[in-house]
Amino acid sequence: MAGPADVRKGIIMGNAPLDEKYMRRAIELAKKGSGRTNPNPLVGAVIVRDGQVLAEGYHECYGQYHAERNAIAHAREAGIDLRGSTIYVTLEPCCHHGKQPPCTDAILEEGISRVVVGSDDPNPLVSGKGYQILRERGVEVITHFLKEECDAINDVFFHYISQKTPFVAMKYAMTMDGKIACHTGDSKWVTGETARAHVQKLRNHYKGIMVGIGTVLADDPSLNCRLEGGRDPIRIVVDSHLRISMDSKLVRTAGDQPLIVACLAGQEDKAALLEKAGVKVAVMPDKDGHVDLQALMVYLGREKVDGILLEGGGTLNESALEAGIVGKAYCYLAPKMFGGADARTPVEGLGKSLAADAWKFERTGLEVLGEDLLVTYKYIGC
């Protein structure tokens, strides 16, 4: 596989500012597939010749054309000859038959002479083979171009295909003094409308949304996606002792939006009532009197849930961190203070005894959302 030297070669032989422009456009296109491609990755493609964009495409929906074939199809519809062109694609072109034929075949058939790629595909069916096939047929292949940016849009895909468990992203909104609710429990609203609208994009992006029973009992949430044209996530409730009410919004809408309730064994009567209402009850192993979250992740992976937005509240957040299942955190920070020694915080429980043992994260993004800030972090370990 190509290394940094190939990237430098590609920049020298081409036009670095334009190469970057076209790849960033491919990334922008890829994001348009959010919420519709799972468990496939987000991929965008831009085809260029002599400084002119000939066609664009992205993976729009699972089971449909991949980005490269979409871009090529658009060119064909316009009667454009693609011989001698360059295709910028955010992920290594596939070279195997799945729901769609290999994209490497389409690139070769069209006479595209140069391929600039951002991310490697960790899928064992591809993983470097796409590059090899193209190079063996005389196509110039530049790899790892804007790799970090391309990798960032597919953290869910990369984790799921290698670990077979969901990628978990913790989300919470807090005040400047680190509170997610007042001492009374009131939390409407910590952040402003712009930040709350952004949360709906996350609910569309992640296939599952997970909360603890405490959140369900306190807020009676719907956990749907209120984004126009968005996808409702699969709702997952961690409820060790099946305290969820049959009259809750979650149970009453289980026939319309999937609901999984994870619990411990020995509660067959309540489980039967929930299942009759359309709820999928998942009996999990016992971990210190609570649902074993690692076992739950294995179960959800088998259920084809590739990514989870964790909106669980402080208790579940602490359990998730202790279980080592959190890969990312979205921290919405509001310019206000609630105060109060008893006011709720994003991570509760006993917590760490020593500062040196803290769960450590690396900041990967900072965005202004109206009056609030969104800070994005990648988990890097204890």
Side-chain angles (χ1 to χ4, degrees):
M1 290 170 58
D6 298 272
V7 179
R8 290 194 295 272
K9 176 184 176 185
I11 293 174
I12 292 169
M13 292 180 65
N15 185 315
L18 288 179
D19 282 344
E20 184 171 329
K21 172 185 174 181
Y22 299 137
M23 185 60 85
R24 291 197 184 280
R25 174 57 180 165
I27 293 171
E28 183 181 331
L29 289 166
K31 292 178 180 179
K32 290 186 175 184
S34 181
R36 295 187 295 274
T37 67
N38 312 72
N40 281 358
L42 298 174
V43 187
V46 178
I47 305 176
V48 178
R49 185 174 56 225
D50 299 328
Q52 179 182 359
V53 175
L54 304 179
E56 298 180 335
Y58 66 98
H59 185 30
E60 298 177 12
C61 187
Y62 176 70
Q64 297 182 9
Y65 273 169
H66 294 176
E68 301 94 320
R69 285 189 176 272
N70 255 332
I72 289 169
H74 294 156
R76 285 176 176 170
E77 290 169 4
I80 298 174
D81 185 346
L82 297 179
R83 284 178 292 183
S85 63
T86 294
I87 185 168
Y88 297 83
V89 60
T90 55
L91 184 71
E92 178 181 358
C94 68
C95 55
H96 67 289
H97 286 270
K99 290 187 177 294
Q100 294 294 331
C103 288
T104 49
D105 287 358
I107 290 170
L108 293 169
E109 289 165 4
E110 294 300 316
I112 295 172
S113 60
R114 183 171 179 255
V115 178
V116 181
V117 183
S119 300
D120 299 333
D121 192 336
N123 187 339
L125 295 173
V126 184
S127 192
K129 301 181 183 70
Y131 300 146
Q132 181 181 351
I133 288 171
L134 294 171
R135 285 176 172 137
E136 287 176 350
R137 295 288 296 275
V139 176
E140 180 187 2
V141 179
I142 310 301
T143 65
H144 301 170
F145 191 77
L146 296 188
K147 184 179 186 299
E148 288 188 8
E149 290 92 330
C150 291
D151 285 353
I153 64 175
N154 277 313
D155 45 12
V156 170
F157 171 72
F158 292 149
H159 177 90
Y160 183 67
I161 200 164
S162 61
Q163 303 298 318
K164 309 303 181 188
T165 58
F167 179 83
V168 178
M170 177 190 296
K171 166 261 163 185
Y172 57 90
M174 71 178 188
T175 60
M176 293 164 58
D177 55 339
K179 310 299 183 181
I180 63 173
C182 298
H183 70 92
T184 59
D186 182 60
S187 61
K188 292 184 171 50
W189 295 100
V190 175
T191 54
E193 291 184 5
T194 303
R196 297 201 301 273
H198 187 272
V199 172
Q200 301 307 312
K201 294 182 180 180
L202 297 183
R203 289 187 177 186
N204 172 70
H205 179 70
Y206 290 94
K207 191 169 183 178
I209 181 169
M210 188 164 77
V211 298
I213 185 59
T215 297
V216 175
L217 295 176
D219 301 337
D220 192 22
S222 296
L223 301 181
N224 59 349
C225 176
R226 294 184 287 277
L227 187 69
E228 185 176 353
R231 172 192 62 176
D232 285 332
I234 296 171
R235 298 162 306 174
I236 304 147
V237 178
V238 181
D239 183 9
S240 299
H241 306 293
L242 284 188
R243 293 189 289 154
I244 191 169
S245 169
M246 299 300 298
D247 293 326
S248 65
K249 291 177 184 175
L250 294 178
V251 173
R252 287 190 282 111
T253 58
D256 302 315
Q257 184 181 348
L259 173 62
I260 298 172
V261 176
C263 67
L264 299 179
Q267 303 166 94
E268 289 77 10
D269 291 345
K270 181 69 174 285
L273 289 174
L274 288 169
E275 289 177 339
K276 188 175 181 180
V279 179
K280 180 174 284 190
V281 177
V283 179
M284 292 288 112
D286 187 317
K287 178 79 170 180
D288 300 324
H290 300 283
V291 165
D292 185 328
L293 293 181
Q294 291 183 340
L296 177 58
M297 292 304 105
V298 173
Y299 167 83
L300 293 172
R302 291 198 298 263
E303 291 291 307
K304 308 300 182 187
V305 178
D306 59 348
I308 291 173
L309 182 64
L310 178 61
E311 292 196 28
T315 301
L316 184 58
N317 285 348
E318 197 251 358
S319 297
L321 287 165
E322 285 287 1
I325 65 172
V326 177
K328 186 174 186 174
Y330 296 96
C331 171
Y332 295 86
L333 181 61
K336 61 185 71 168
M337 295 185 184
F338 288 165
D342 296 327
R344 293 169 58 193
T345 61
V347 180
E348 297 183 348
L350 185 61
K352 297 295 186 181
S353 299
L354 298 174
D357 295 334
W359 294 290
K360 297 179 179 65
F361 290 79
E362 174 187 327
R363 180 170 55 81
T364 56
L366 179 62
E367 186 176 353
V368 177
L369 297 173
E371 63 184 7
D372 306 306
L373 293 177
L374 169 60
V375 190
T376 309
Y377 297 94
K378 174 184 177 182
Y379 179 70
I380 57 175
C382 287

